[in-house]
Amino acid sequence: MQGMRETARRYAVIDVGSNSIRLVIFDRLSRGLSVMFNEKVLCGLGSDLEVTGRLTQKAVDQALANLSRFTELTRAMDVESVDAVATAAVRDAADGRLFVKRVAQECALKLRILSGEEECKYTALGVLASVPRADGLVGDLGGGSLELVRISGNEISDGFTLPLGPLRLVARDAGKRGDLITDIERVLENVTQSQIPSGEIFYLVGGNWRSLARLHMAQTDYPLRVVHCYTVGYEEIYEFVDLISKQSPTSLIGVSSIAERRLKLLPVGATVLLALLRRFRPREVIFSGTGLREGLAYAKLGAHERARDPLISVCQDLAHRVARFPSHGDELAAWIGSIFPSESPRERRLRHAACLLSDIAWRVHPDYRAEYALMEALWLQAAINHTGRIFLGLAIMHRYSSKKIPKLATQVKHLLDPNALCQARAVGLAARVGETLCGGVPGLLSSFNLVRHEDRLTLEHQPKDSRMIGHVVRARFRALAKHLSLKASIEVIGS
């Protein structure tokens, strides 16, 4: 019955864009917004829009066939609610309304055409869903349009929808880059710098720009290949997109694993970003893995659910699925918290998340638990930046092994400063002590106290609990104290 209740809460978004259509099914409508299914088809509905004013017929046929498939999949997966939306191509095409009618008739799907203002709003909400308290400019480059909107905390300013999608620009420019730059800058004159100040963070959304991020990672040999929250400074990203904007699509084939069809529009997307960088001069860009689709889901959450921490929500959900004793993680976080009196709110959040995931690898062969835990954290589908991922991964890795260091850990750890590395190891070793002491069973840790003094670390217990302090517990407690440069002391209290 529990499985049926969870299944009934599934939610899906079908996104009909100018270049691609996509089905995303969320496991349930919660703050974590975990995606359980994601399928994209590059149709190119808006490929001929700039020339003919109509949707491309071959693409329409392909879209209708795949939208029928999407409808069947949502039924088979017992999705409770579906939002099907269309953006620039369908919005602007002379036959857009006819396409919507055909979708209803042939696919049994109600397709809603979003206005430019709605597209800006939902894209901004999508960024806020995964980057809480984000502050800066959001740009979403789709195949047919560019949306720009400012966000600050939970406030969303009025946005701009501009005809700068790569599909549209390719048709307009016919390969003349000089004219393309002029066209882009002319359109951007509608967005004044007083409306969007320079020096802000620029959050980049959309498949074209995500491909740019992947290409940049490949070119710089960046070890953590996760697009979400990949951050690049202004000068570095400017130099890179300037280079890519000058390349032909064929010159990029084989450079990375990006699909050839996506590569064809990459130099145009780079040119749009180059013009935006010149005009607004952000201090850095942050690539976002979330946007319109996540924004639609986030908009459906109540105030209480929105107020939850998205990372903690994801980790709690995962613990309930995979841990032997799901409620133990919160207890463990509270129990080891006393030995970290000077931690920042960010460190406290990561420690809590690490404890929630402290039992994530119990089904894995003992020789590979540390590596498995590290990989799970690094590639976790969650609202967390890259340094946070690495901190979390290393902490859980040390929870499973204090000595064996996987190769992957040596590749990513240099992205953390020495203090963060030390803190991650301390969190992992402390969680290791707690897990060993109680076997992961909820309630047992309440009989013990972990106390940090100026010169020593003390494990306190009642006389009746002496039998729980075994050889392995003592060894792991000494390892924790040594890492903290403290003396280890196990004391009986209340005798």
Side-chain angles (χ1 to χ4, degrees):
M1 292 298 294
Q2 179 65 27
M4 289 297 291
R5 284 196 298 269
E6 290 295 321
T7 298
R9 299 163 70 183
R10 288 175 181 163
Y11 167 74
V13 174
I14 295 176
D15 178 8
V16 179
S18 300
N19 194 34
S20 66
I21 64 171
R22 190 186 292 263
L23 166 64
V24 175
I25 300 178
F26 297 93
D27 183 49
R28 61 193 182 96
L29 276 172
S30 68
R31 187 62 183 88
L33 293 179
S34 296
V35 174
M36 63 169 290
F37 184 84
N38 188 334
E39 182 169 302
K40 175 186 68 179
V41 181
L42 292 171
C43 295
L45 280 171
S47 296
D48 300 328
L49 183 62
E50 189 68 17
V51 177
T52 67
R54 302 176 67 85
L55 300 175
T56 303
Q57 187 54 51
K58 183 179 179 180
V60 167
D61 296 337
Q62 186 180 10
L64 289 170
N66 283 282
L67 288 173
S68 294
R69 166 180 161 76
F70 289 174
T71 301
E72 290 300 318
L73 284 172
T74 58
R75 290 171 180 164
M77 295 187 191
D78 294 321
V79 174
E80 184 182 63
S81 175
V82 179
D83 274 332
V85 297
T87 54
V90 178
R91 184 170 63 231
D92 297 341
D95 55 348
R97 304 290 177 181
L98 176 60
F99 175 76
V100 170
K101 185 176 181 180
R102 289 189 64 187
V103 169
Q105 294 173 340
E106 300 177 32
C107 309
L109 185 65
K110 184 178 180 180
L111 187 62
R112 175 164 62 107
I113 300 176
L114 295 180
S115 67
E117 292 77 10
E118 288 176 313
E119 196 171 349
C120 286
K121 170 192 169 184
Y122 288 123
T123 298
L125 286 175
V127 172
L128 290 171
S130 62
V131 188
R133 296 175 295 280
D135 192 337
L137 173 65
V138 175
D140 181 5
L141 185 66
S145 65
L146 167 69
E147 278 66 48
L148 293 174
V149 58
R150 285 196 72 214
I151 54 176
S152 181
N154 291 320
E155 298 296 321
I156 301 173
S157 302
D158 292 336
F160 301 85
T161 296
L162 306 172
L164 294 177
L167 281 176
R168 179 169 274 165
L169 291 173
V170 165
R172 184 188 308 165
D173 182 63
K176 300 177 182 177
R177 182 177 178 274
D179 292 338
L180 176 60
I181 290 275
T182 301
D183 284 348
I184 294 171
E185 291 178 343
R186 185 182 301 116
V187 172
L188 288 178
E189 289 176 359
N190 296 321
V191 185
T192 67
Q193 287 169 300
S194 62
Q195 291 168 305
I196 301 179
S198 61
E200 294 194 323
I201 296 174
F202 193 6
Y203 298 91
L204 304 182
V205 180
N208 187 288
W209 285 344
R210 285 194 296 270
S211 295
L212 273 177
R214 294 187 185 97
L215 188 58
H216 187 265
M217 290 177 182
Q219 293 299 295
T220 58
D221 199 25
Y222 187 76
L224 183 54
R225 303 296 174 90
V226 176
V227 170
H228 185 62
C229 281
Y230 181 56
T231 304
V232 187
Y234 171 77
E235 292 184 0
E236 184 176 356
I237 194 64
Y238 185 96
E239 182 179 343
F240 177 72
V241 297
D242 184 41
L243 174 64
I244 299 302
S245 70
K246 298 172 182 175
Q247 307 303 308
S248 66
T250 54
S251 69
L252 297 174
I253 297 174
V255 174
S256 73
S257 59
I258 301 169
E260 183 176 338
R261 192 166 179 179
R262 178 73 76 181
L263 281 175
K264 290 180 179 180
L265 298 175
L266 206 58
V268 183
T271 305
V272 175
L273 181 53
L274 182 64
L276 290 165
L277 292 173
R278 287 177 178 175
R279 188 165 186 82
F280 301 122
R281 296 187 62 85
R283 66 175 182 269
E284 63 185 15
V285 300
I286 298 179
F287 292 88
S288 174
T290 59
L292 173 69
R293 295 174 288 274
E294 291 76 15
L296 285 160
Y298 184 69
K300 288 186 172 294
L301 301 180
H304 176 75
E305 189 67 23
R306 283 196 191 189
R308 294 180 64 200
D309 185 311
L311 173 62
I312 300 304
S313 176
V314 165
C315 292
Q316 286 174 335
D317 287 348
L318 189 55
H320 277 280
R321 293 170 187 272
V322 303
R324 293 166 296 176
F325 306 100
S327 63
H328 174 62
D330 291 312
E331 180 184 9
L332 179 62
W335 190 73
I336 70 173
S338 61
I339 69 171
F340 301 105
S342 301
E343 67 184 352
S344 66
R346 176 180 180 275
E347 290 170 336
R348 188 179 308 116
R349 178 190 192 225
L350 291 172
R351 174 173 58 78
H352 188 185
C355 290
L356 289 168
L357 301 181
S358 64
D359 203 29
I360 197 172
W362 71 273
R363 288 186 174 91
V364 178
H365 188 284
D367 291 349
Y368 300 99
R369 285 175 184 164
E371 184 174 15
Y372 176 86
L374 172 65
M375 292 170 60
E376 281 284 322
L378 288 180
W379 296 310
L380 187 66
Q381 188 183 137
I384 185 171
N385 63 19
H386 283 210
T387 55
R389 287 179 185 276
I390 298 167
F391 184 104
L392 186 58
L394 294 177
I396 307 171
M397 179 192 76
H398 288 302
R399 171 265 181 269
Y400 280 103
S401 175
S402 60
K403 296 180 180 179
K404 185 179 179 181
I405 307 299
K407 181 180 178 181
L408 180 59
T410 64
Q411 294 172 338
V412 299
K413 69 179 185 178
H414 72 274
L415 297 175
L416 288 189
D417 63 59
N419 289 335
L421 287 172
C422 182
Q423 184 80 352
R425 181 176 175 84
V427 169
L429 293 177
R432 187 171 173 83
V433 171
E435 287 283 358
T436 305
L437 180 58
C438 71
V441 179
L444 292 185
L445 284 179
S446 61
S447 299
F448 303 87
N449 297 317
L450 197 59
V451 183
R452 182 171 185 164
H453 304 277
E454 185 175 345
D455 61 345
R456 72 186 192 280
L457 185 66
T458 302
L459 179 59
E460 300 177 342
H461 65 91
Q462 300 285 337
K464 64 182 180 64
D465 297 312
S466 296
R467 287 175 295 183
M468 295 292 291
I469 310 293
H471 172 77
V472 177
V473 172
R474 291 176 182 273
R476 292 179 177 179
F477 175 66
R478 287 195 298 269
L480 171 62
K482 181 179 180 181
H483 177 69
L484 297 174
S485 300
L486 299 171
K487 296 178 181 179
S489 174
I490 299 177
E491 300 178 2
V492 179
I493 59 174
S495 57

